[in-house]
Amino acid sequence: MFLFLFPYKFTDSFYQRHQINILKKRLKDKVEIHDLSNILNKEWNQAFLNKRHKSAKVFNTLDQWKLYFKKIAKKEKKLYVINLLDINSINSIYIHYILKKSKVKIIQFCSPEVCIKNSKNNFSNKI
C-alpha cells in the first residue's frame, strides 16, 4: 500500500501532477491520499479554489489521523509512505515523529523550489 501525506487541500490538479491514476494502474496496489490541510495549513484551504479530489481522506485533528495511521500500519505488511510534508510546525514535527517511530518505509518528496542544506547541525537531521 502506498500512502500519500499531503499538507494542502488535495485537488484534481495535484492528482494529475503526481500521476496517481498511473501509479494505481502500474503497481496494482492500494493508494491512499491523506489530506492533512486542516491539521497543518487550515488557513491555506481558501487559496485552493478547486474542489477537493474525491479520493482524498480528510483529517481534522492530529489524534484522528494518528489513530487511523496506526490502524493501517498494523494491518498492512508492506506500507510505503510518500511524505510531502515539510518540517515547519509543531504538528508536522509530531507527524514525522510518528512516522519514524512506526518504522514504515518513508519516501520523502521535497519540493524542488526549497533548498535544504545537508549538514550535521541541521534541525531536521536531529529529528
Side-chain angles (χ1 to χ4, degrees), residues 1-8 10 14-15 17-24 27 29-36 40 65 69 72 78-86 95-96 99 102 104-111:
M1 173 181 208
F2 284 86
L3 178 65
F4 276 82
L5 298 181
F6 204 73
Y8 306 112
F10 194 82
F14 290 122
Y15 187 84
R17 179 185 299 160
H18 294 291
Q19 300 177 344
I20 305 291
N21 55 347
I22 295 170
L23 186 67
K24 285 180 180 180
L27 297 177
D29 205 354
K30 287 191 254 178
V31 176
E32 254 187 42
I33 301 156
H34 289 189
D35 182 338
L36 301 174
L40 300 174
W65 176 81
F69 176 74
I72 289 175
K78 286 187 175 181
L79 178 63
Y80 299 96
V81 177
I82 300 168
N83 188 6
L84 291 115
L85 307 179
D86 290 329
I95 290 170
H96 280 86
L99 292 173
S102 68
V104 296
K105 292 184 170 93
I106 301 170
I107 301 167
Q108 185 69 39
F109 187 73
C110 295
S111 172

Side-chain angles (χ1 to χ4, degrees), residues 6 8-11 13-14 44-51:
F6 204 73
Y8 306 112
K9 184 178 177 183
F10 194 82
T11 62
S13 62
F14 290 122
W44 272 86
N45 280 340
Q46 299 169 11
F48 299 98
L49 302 176
N50 296 340
K51 290 183 181 177

Side-chain angles (χ1 to χ4, degrees), residues 56-95:
K57 292 186 187 246
V58 181
F59 295 92
N60 294 316
T61 65
L62 196 54
D63 290 331
Q64 181 187 15
W65 176 81
K66 181 181 169 185
L67 290 173
Y68 188 79
F69 176 74
K70 284 185 176 184
K71 184 175 140 183
I72 289 175
K74 281 184 182 179
K75 183 180 170 184
E76 295 293 329
K77 293 184 181 184
K78 286 187 175 181
L79 178 63
Y80 299 96
V81 177
I82 300 168
N83 188 6
L84 291 115
L85 307 179
D86 290 329
I87 300 176
N88 58 1
S89 69
I90 296 296
N91 287 340
S92 65
I93 290 171
Y94 188 62
I95 290 170

